[in-house]
Amino acid sequence: MSTDARIVPAASLIPADAPFPKAAKVALGMPQLRKNLAHATGTIRAKRANVAGELDDWERLRDTASAIKADVQHRLPELAIEFERNATAAGATVHWARDAQEANEIAARIVREAGADEVVKVKSMATQEIELNEHFEAHGLKAFETDLAELIVQLAEDKPSHILVPAIHYNRTQIRDIFTQSMGDAPSGLTDEPAALAEAARLHLRRRFLSAKVAVSGANFAVAETGSLVVVESEGNGRMCLTMPETLISIVGLEKLLPRFGDLEVFMQLLPRSSTGERMNPYTSVWTGSREGDGPRDVHVILLDNGRTGVLADEVGRQALSCIRCSACLNVCPVYERTGGHAYGHVYPGPIGAILAPQLEPGRHDDLPYASSLCGACYEVCPVKINIPEVLVHLRQQGPHEAGEKAAMGAAKAVMARPRLWRAALKAARFGSMPWRRKGFLRRLPWPGSRWTVSRDLPVPPKEDFRDWWKERQR
């Protein structure tokens, strides 16, 4: 993936064999997609800045959250065992899954044991990560998304393009068409008015809620001290899924653990402000095990590794496990705003995806750390202070490098280490680059420089460097 989103069209960043259906690639033309992204992310950015600015202790909250997450990473095995003990004591059944295959098999077995062949789902990145829906479909089970945006994406046989607003790449007319074509009970004469679309989805989903025996969720947080799980959401669909079915399956990444219930006080201030720009989430659900006559009677928690312990072993890269999936980094990223989420080829897009995907699946996404200008905007807004630029550079250093690149970097290092050679090289570059200058940039250098300029602009060498400037003023 290119580091320069101004030159390389986003469509060209998606491989022909990318694991996304055609709809994911052509839902909107790039101008419309960029317009949607700019409007939505700009709105969320402004709201976030306003509500974060209301708190005098915002930076202290960020520091505290960062420290809590670092503590979790240092004590992860201990906290996971503590969570299992307390959740089990409260009536839940805790399962351990080393990878996606194990997690999917456990979930499918529970659904069958409940005598069901379909489930309703709360929006969950973990279930997207392990491709639970696809596994269910391949084994005769059906998963119905109940989050409005996730429902749109599912009906379109598409993939989400944003962590917070998965259907951001569709406009309302396209959503109307999707409902009309793929939602069997869509009312006749459905318009593209937002209220009409929401009402159609509400009536469609209400029937699912009332008939479902099993629900599947993720969790925003898992509290080791009490064995509690927490889900925050904005539509109420999560509350319906978490309370009405007889069986509840929650698939939770190990990194979602928190040591103490009191730690929620910190994250419940940071998460809504950083994600939706709200002071609090409209719906916050907390449950601990099961209780007769109060919600699901059969509660299962699947603790998911799926590469997380491998990430934990990297002292620099493990910061990625602090992520609370707020999407603040996506909303300020200039690369994401130009390309959209599908260009990343992974369930986690944007800056956080660029450091998380290569670590969760080593060898498969080694190009993603280069999908960044290293401007640092993501670090500035991250509520848990993940130093994403630091991890990006770290992963770039670890990634594969061609022999030619290594040779070029070695030569550059040798020249830069010798002041006389460096000055001579600068002078040669000033004169040698003349034929390829275009409006202050070198856009099409001959080989081997073309390997760089095919996807990047190279600034024209300055007419006067600092040493010359300084020397001239000392006369």
Side-chain angles (χ1 to χ4, degrees):
M1 193 171 173
S2 168
T3 59
D4 194 333
R6 295 175 300 159
I7 299 175
V8 180
S12 70
L13 300 178
I14 307 176
D17 60 349
F20 296 104
K22 184 178 180 181
K25 304 177 185 180
V26 298
L28 286 177
M30 286 308 299
Q32 182 64 47
L33 173 61
R34 289 171 180 164
K35 181 179 178 181
N36 284 15
L37 288 170
H39 174 74
T41 58
T43 300
I44 296 171
R45 280 199 305 268
K47 291 176 62 180
R48 177 206 165 275
N50 288 335
V51 294
E54 295 173 351
L55 299 182
D56 294 335
D57 60 346
W58 179 254
E59 290 304 318
R60 289 196 297 274
L61 285 168
R62 293 179 70 210
D63 289 335
T64 303
S66 178
I68 292 171
K69 284 292 189 177
D71 177 47
V72 169
Q73 290 158 21
H74 281 95
R75 299 194 294 128
L76 190 58
E78 167 194 337
L79 293 172
I81 293 171
E82 182 182 357
F83 174 86
E84 179 189 33
R85 182 174 63 249
N86 291 324
T88 301
T93 302
V94 178
H95 310 262
W96 299 77
R98 286 173 293 187
D99 54 28
Q101 184 66 24
E102 283 193 1
N104 287 330
E105 290 175 354
I106 293 168
R109 186 183 71 244
I110 296 169
V111 174
R112 290 195 185 94
E113 290 175 351
D117 58 6
E118 60 184 45
V119 303
V120 288
K121 282 186 64 195
V122 187
K123 183 178 183 297
S124 164
M125 300 298 293
T127 60
Q128 292 173 22
E129 176 189 329
I130 65 175
E131 298 185 334
L132 179 74
N133 291 11
E134 292 80 357
H135 179 88
F136 275 14
E137 185 174 0
H139 291 80
L141 304 174
K142 182 66 177 177
F144 296 104
E145 299 289 350
T146 65
D147 174 85
L148 176 56
E150 293 284 0
L151 172 65
I152 294 165
V153 169
Q154 184 180 44
L155 291 173
E157 298 182 1
D158 198 351
K159 294 286 184 178
S161 62
H162 190 282
I163 290 176
L164 180 66
V165 277
I168 195 173
H169 52 292
Y170 287 106
N171 61 40
R172 68 188 194 183
T173 301
Q174 290 173 311
I175 295 170
R176 187 271 317 279
D177 294 342
I178 290 168
F179 281 7
T180 301
Q181 295 167 11
S182 303
M183 195 165 72
D185 53 0
S188 60
L190 180 63
T191 71
D192 64 358
E193 288 300 313
L197 295 172
E199 178 69 4
R202 187 187 72 81
L203 294 174
H204 171 76
L205 291 172
R206 183 58 58 93
R207 286 184 274 274
R208 298 289 185 199
F209 293 135
L210 294 175
S211 63
K213 294 182 178 180
V214 181
V216 174
S217 81
N220 295 96
F221 307 104
V223 182
E225 181 183 50
T226 60
S228 304
L229 295 178
V230 182
V231 164
V232 298
E233 38 112 8
S234 300
E235 299 173 13
N237 63 296
R239 182 69 56 81
M240 301 284 277
C241 290
L242 298 172
T243 57
M244 296 188 68
E246 297 175 359
T247 300
L248 174 62
I249 306 168
S250 299
I251 301 175
V252 184
L254 288 169
E255 80 281 10
K256 297 300 183 70
L257 286 163
L258 295 179
R260 298 164 298 275
F261 196 85
D263 295 330
L264 291 172
E265 185 268 338
V266 175
F267 291 95
M268 287 304 180
Q269 295 184 74
L270 290 169
L271 179 55
R273 287 175 167 84
S274 297
S275 58
T276 56
E278 297 172 296
R279 296 177 184 88
M280 64 181 295
N281 294 98
Y283 294 88
T284 299
S285 300
V286 183
W287 70 100
T288 308
S290 63
R291 181 177 301 176
E292 187 65 32
D294 183 12
R297 293 177 295 177
D298 194 13
V299 173
H300 296 262
V301 181
I302 302 174
L303 291 177
L304 177 68
D305 184 342
N306 204 36
R308 285 158 174 78
T309 51
V311 179
L312 193 64
D314 188 324
E315 293 186 0
V316 177
R318 69 173 57 157
Q319 296 178 63
L321 296 178
S322 297
C323 177
I324 58 175
R325 310 292 192 264
C326 68
S327 76
C329 60
L330 279 70
N331 299 330
V332 298
C333 179
V335 175
Y336 174 84
E337 188 170 308
R338 297 290 289 178
T339 66
H342 291 143
Y344 290 80
H346 194 269
V347 64
Y348 301 113
I352 188 60
I355 65 171
L356 190 56
Q359 296 188 86
L360 289 177
E361 299 181 82
R364 292 194 57 188
H365 304 281
D366 292 334
D367 57 341
L368 285 184
Y370 296 91
S372 171
S373 64
L374 299 179
C375 67
C378 50
Y379 182 31
E380 293 176 3
V381 300
C382 177
V384 291
K385 303 191 79 168
I386 301 172
N387 192 336
I388 293 178
E390 178 186 41
V391 182
L392 287 168
V393 172
H394 172 68
L395 294 177
R396 290 181 185 186
Q397 293 170 342
Q398 289 187 329
H401 298 277
E402 297 178 3
E405 181 184 359
K406 291 181 179 179
M409 292 298 105
K413 178 181 178 181
V415 170
M416 292 178 179
R418 296 168 174 81
R420 290 184 180 179
L421 276 178
W422 176 242
R423 288 195 292 271
L426 283 178
K427 290 180 180 179
R430 291 189 194 114
F431 293 103
S433 64
M434 293 291 291
W436 297 282
R437 296 185 180 192
R438 296 290 187 279
K439 297 181 179 181
F441 289 93
L442 306 178
R443 300 192 185 277
R444 294 186 180 180
L445 289 176
W447 191 91
S450 59
R451 296 290 299 276
W452 180 273
T453 55
V454 69
S455 59
R456 303 170 180 87
D457 288 339
L458 188 66
V460 169
K463 295 180 180 179
E464 181 182 49
D465 63 21
F466 176 78
R467 289 185 179 87
D468 293 336
W469 179 89
W470 182 259
K471 185 178 180 181
E472 179 68 25
R473 281 154 182 76
Q474 297 308 305
R475 294 177 179 176

